[in-house]
Amino acid sequence: MHLAAYAAGPTPAPVVHAHPLTAVSFTVAGVAPPNDLLPEAVLVLGRIAVARFATPGTDEVPRSLSPFWDGHDVILLERHGALALGRDLLQAFDRMETLERVCEVAARARLLGACAPLPEAAVQKVLAAGRALTAASERIPAHRRQV
C-alpha cells in the first residue's frame, strides 16, 4: 500500500496510514465522509475518496486505491483505515488529524439532529481566502516561515 502511494506521484509523497475510529465508522455506515462541513475540511482535506473494501495485507489494497491517486490527498479504506498524503510528513499528519476531527464533528452533529454542509458560496469564499493566505505566505522569505 505504501509503495503504491509512493509510486503514484511524480515524486514520492509522505504518507500517513492510520485507523481513525470515527472516519472509518462513516465507511461502515455507508455514509459519505464530510469534506465540506467546516472551513478546515475544505482547505485541508479536499475531496475525500472512499476505496472499496480490500483484504488488508494483500495486493487488493493498492488496487482498490489506484483510481484515487489523482485528485485526492485523503483516501478512506472501507472498513479499514485511511491514507493521507502531503508535501511533507507534517502536512500528511495534519490531513489525517483533520479527517478524524471533521468526521467526529459530523457524527456529533448527526446525533444532535442535523449535519448540513457549508453552502457553496461559503465554500468558494473559504477557498479564495486560502489562496490569498498561500500567496501571502509565499512572499515571506523561506528562512522566516514558521512550520
Side-chain angles (χ1 to χ4, degrees):
M1 175 179 62
H2 289 267
L3 293 175
Y6 298 146
T11 58
V15 177
V16 170
H17 171 62
H19 300 241
L21 185 64
T22 310
V24 172
S25 296
F26 273 77
T27 72
V28 173
V31 175
N35 61 351
D36 57 358
L37 187 63
L38 304 171
E40 58 268 34
V42 173
L43 291 174
V44 175
L45 300 178
R47 294 183 311 130
I48 303 166
V50 179
R52 63 175 166 63
F53 178 78
T55 306
T58 70
D59 287 339
E60 292 174 21
V61 176
R63 283 196 305 268
S64 74
L65 296 167
S66 65
F68 304 111
W69 295 128
D70 290 332
H72 296 91
D73 295 315
V74 176
I75 306 170
L76 275 169
L77 290 79
E78 183 181 354
R79 297 176 181 265
H80 179 89
L83 281 180
L85 293 84
R87 68 178 168 276
D88 54 40
L89 194 55
L90 183 61
Q91 185 182 49
F93 178 82
D94 184 45
R95 286 180 171 148
M96 183 64 71
E97 190 275 335
T98 300
L99 170 68
E100 179 63 5
R101 187 166 21 87
V102 168
C103 287
E104 180 66 26
V105 168
R108 290 179 186 211
R110 288 174 184 274
L111 289 173
L112 293 170
C115 184
L118 283 170
E120 182 58 29
V123 169
Q124 293 309 314
K125 287 173 89 173
V126 166
L127 289 171
R131 287 190 296 272
L133 286 172
T134 298
S137 71
E138 289 173 353
R139 291 191 296 270
I140 298 170
H143 69 282
R144 297 208 182 260
R145 292 183 203 153
Q146 292 184 357
V147 177

